[in-house]
Amino acid sequence: MARRDIEFDAEGTTLRGWFYPAEGASGAGPVIVMAHGLSAVKEMFLDKYAAAFSEAGLNALVFDNRNFGASDGEPRQEIDPVAQVRDYRHAITYALTLPEVDRNRVGIWGSSYSGGHVLTVGAFDQRVKAVVSQVPLVDGYENIRSLVRSDFIGGFRDMFDADREARFRGEAPGMVPAVSEDPLGPAAMPTPDSWKWFTETHEERAPAWRNEITLRSVELLSEYKPDSVVERISPTPLLVLVAENDVLTPTELALATYQKAREPKKLVILPGGHFDAYVQGFDASMVPARDWFLEHLKP
């Protein structure tokens, strides 16, 4: 497998990543476009998924979200879901310029926050012929309500307003940790399994990851609702992978969104929690995704 570095323009911002050519391919073939979730960078196991897709005869294009990892963009560590959705579409456009890619066989894969992005892209971009959404964020407002004590939410709103005024004065963006060892400490993902996975994966695989995001990122998360467009994905085939004990992007929210989606669709329940899909449950999450793409991106 000859993975190569890539970069492409996204309305003036250069995004960077990897392209994994399909193994054994004799001509143009399917491509899977992939990016990671909230604050994560591509080294956090996306290489494993892309390599598995490549071994199965699927091209894979992986990129870092703007403002993160190897990609350009300012302010650093800011997560704008609308911009990230748009960047998936820029990545698709770039993929169609590659000689290895058949423009009529495009799939998209996303996990966690980007699991919500692929629902949104699949609803609007008719170039997409198959969607895989893994442990998805489906409703930012309800997700925050499930993680943050109700008496803390008003304080967050005050912080958002103060940050907006500070930025207007030319001050640096306010920052908040992505994860915290203290479940009651301020963090965008205040769960013990988030702390464990991000810190361990940072040490073992992803030195470029930083444990901070802008405060505005949390505000934008609260306004993001992929659930509102999921009915529009049909007739594009949709696979949703939901962890049975997901406390970060709650299982019940993802299941309710799956029920709203129209056919053709398929649901797979993964063992364990949100982050198990990447490590001990890798085969359980990768194999259904790989097979879904193979089934729906045939010549």
Side-chain angles (χ1 to χ4, degrees), residues 24-282:
S26 57
V31 66
I32 313 305
V33 175
M34 311 169 62
H36 223 318
L38 194 84
S39 90
V41 293
K42 62 186 182 301
E43 291 83 2
M44 291 173 146
F45 293 99
L46 292 199
D47 51 340
K48 286 188 64 177
Y49 285 96
F53 295 155
S54 171
E55 291 168 4
L58 301 162
N59 297 298
L61 190 156
V62 182
F63 66 97
D64 274 329
N65 288 303
R66 65 173 56 224
N67 310 333
F68 286 85
S71 290
D72 291 347
E74 296 289 341
R76 300 305 292 175
Q77 304 300 115
E78 180 145 294
I79 305 164
D80 181 338
V82 175
Q84 290 188 351
V85 164
R86 198 175 293 129
D87 288 341
Y88 256 96
R89 303 182 77 175
H90 291 312
I92 292 170
T93 302
Y94 168 70
L96 298 184
T97 70
L98 302 176
E100 296 95 337
V101 170
D102 180 342
R103 66 181 303 109
N104 296 310
R105 292 191 278 166
V106 175
I108 52 176
W109 179 100
S111 186
S112 196
Y113 209 18
S114 67
H117 297 347
V118 295
L119 297 177
T120 307
V121 176
F124 298 131
D125 200 318
Q126 299 305 305
R127 299 173 298 177
V128 173
K129 305 305 180 186
V131 179
V132 173
S133 176
Q134 176 175 295
V135 293
L137 179 288
V138 296
D139 186 324
Y141 176 72
E142 292 299 333
N143 212 109
I144 288 175
R145 281 169 54 87
S146 74
L147 296 175
V148 179
R149 277 176 39 182
S150 58
D151 55 328
F152 287 0
I153 291 178
F156 268 112
R157 293 197 182 102
D158 292 341
M159 292 169 64
F160 297 153
D161 293 341
D163 180 62
R164 189 177 300 278
E165 293 178 19
R167 287 189 181 213
F168 186 80
R169 294 191 298 267
E171 299 174 19
M175 307 298 288
V176 64
V179 296
S180 173
E181 189 171 14
D182 178 4
L184 296 179
M189 294 174 280
T191 65
D193 60 340
S194 299
W195 168 259
K196 182 176 188 295
W197 185 83
F198 273 99
T199 55
E200 290 181 356
T201 307
H202 166 55
E203 293 175 359
E204 297 169 4
R205 300 176 59 91
W209 178 77
R210 291 163 50 185
N211 186 19
E212 61 177 2
I213 62 173
T214 66
L215 185 60
R216 179 185 285 177
S217 300
V218 181
E219 182 179 25
L220 294 173
L221 165 64
S222 72
E223 300 168 356
Y224 185 48
K225 188 175 170 58
D227 172 84
S228 66
V229 297
V230 70
E231 295 98 330
R232 296 180 59 175
I233 297 172
S234 177
T236 302
L238 169 65
L239 172 66
V240 180
L241 305 164
V242 178
E244 61 182 349
N245 294 311
D246 197 327
V247 295
L248 183 61
T249 56
T251 303
E252 62 271 18
L253 295 181
L255 291 176
T257 295
Y258 175 79
Q259 291 301 320
K260 291 175 63 175
R262 296 171 177 157
E263 299 289 346
K265 63 179 181 178
K266 181 179 180 179
L267 174 68
V268 172
I269 303 297
L270 302 175
H274 185 86
F275 296 97
D276 291 325
Y278 304 106
V279 191
Q280 58 264 44
F282 173 75

